[in-house]
Amino acid sequence: MNLKPSKRQQIFEFLCDFQNQYGYPPTVREIASAVGLASPASVQVHLRSLERDGFIERDPNKPRALKLNQPTKLSQLSESVGEQSETVTIPILGRVAAGTGVVAFEDRDGDLVLSRDMVGNGDHFALKVRGDSMVEMGIFENDWVVARAQKVAEVGEVVICGIFGDEATVKILSKLGEEVELLPANKNYQPIRANHEEVSIFGKVVALVRSF
Amino acid sequence: MNLKPSKRQQIFEFLCDFQNQYGYPPTVREIASAVGLASPASVQVHLRSLERDGFIERDPNKPRALKLNQPTKLSQLSESVGEQSETVTIPILGRVAAGTGVVAFEDRDGDLVLSRDMVGNGDHFALKVRGDSMVEMGIFENDWVVARAQKVAEVGEVVICGIFGDEATVKILSKLGEEVELLPANKNYQPIRANHEEVSIFGKVVALVRSF
DNA sequence: AATATTTTCGAACATTTGTTTGTACTGCGA
DNA sequence: TCGCAGTACAAACAAATGTTCGAAAATATT
């Protein structure tokens, strides 16, 4: 008897959808245009009906003051995660130990979490970039560079390395051999040449993360 | 730094409580009287602040059109400690629907996993950068930009937006008003000026990720 | 002390919105 | 045909509501 499948049902489903999507209830006019009614007065009838049967509660004269008593039954659209990508927790190093080429995880300043397919295999660490010697490669001050810990690299790769036991620095490896050459990516800086013994490579840059 | 414990915190907690209790969000004036502010204008500045930081989303000029982005957690406001780094799975969008300003998560091209403290609160999406119009900000082709979905932004912020229903683009928002101006970060490109109606903001860039 | 910056207030305004009223239109049974 | 109940419509109204503007007060900064 109280079966009004068409409009009443449409309205109730729209209420659920709207609340679900926007986080707040629609107005009478929004309902009207959504279900194909031309006048807000037409909606009133159905709202009263829905309230009488306990599906919703309303507060008179207040915009959007409408509460669903039977929260969505058609929720959980596509929140199913399925396969979750594996994540890697990468320590942020305050400084890199200038030892024998082995990266010591000292002064951990926190962590960076990335998906495994972003960085690949191996052990990783992250450094906050200081200075602007790599701006032409889009590596800015205060960015984080993520490096895979490795003691060797090839020409042309971006590496984290220490020179003369100095603090770690990020540069482009440009020549290998008896003499090693490191290139900045900034015309205002000079290339660095040093003896093979004086340069230790800590890792190869595999990713960059910037937070605004 | 962004610590405004008193009123801002009160307002956010009231929003949670109210939504929880009544099923719909409060009005600006209800907020005002609840937290002890005498003018609705006083509330506005805090709401704007909360929206800017991604805690809520609003629809201008609409009563109670206010969505909580994190209904449950109210501790986040006071510079939470964040022991275990919560991770966020961010969908990579192939394209952004040029609809009514609502970002439709179409053409999901995969996911990006970042720690919550990297991107902040709210709903996020990621786009692969095409072109070199933002190189001077260190945003290169094939980088991923991570944006928080929001329909408003402030001058000077980097935003994802669509113009004339074109594909989404990342630019610097430089002027608001009847005419909107969008700045590229590349001397070879011209600023874009368009009518307010023709530009829709999809989100604010909060992070950048590059994979080498 | 002097100066910015933030916060708050009051008032006014334009818009949105729920509601009411009166009027058609439809299907249905007596 | 005549009511009758349900539904839909347009117009109009009063109240609620978001927003803006200028100024005062409080707070932070120099």
Side-chain angles (χ1 to χ4, degrees), chain A residues 21-22 24 30 59 62-64 66-67 85 87 112-114 118 137-138 140 206-212, chain B residues 21-22 24 30 62-67 87 112-114 118 137-138 140 206-212:
Chain A
Q21 176 171 2
Y22 293 99
Y24 49 84
E30 284 167 345
D59 227 338
K62 290 189 169 183
R64 296 181 207 269
L66 188 153
K67 176 180 183 178
S85 50
T87 65
L112 221 55
V113 178
L114 296 178
M118 176 81 56
M137 276 200 66
F140 284 26
V206 293
L208 177 133
V209 177
R210 181 181 306 155
S211 187
F212 289 86
Chain B
Q21 177 171 1
Y22 294 100
Y24 49 83
E30 284 168 343
K62 291 189 167 183
R64 296 181 206 269
L66 188 152
K67 175 180 183 180
T87 67
L112 221 54
V113 179
L114 297 178
M118 175 81 55
M137 276 200 66
F140 285 26
V206 294
L208 177 132
V209 176
R210 181 181 305 156
S211 187
F212 289 87

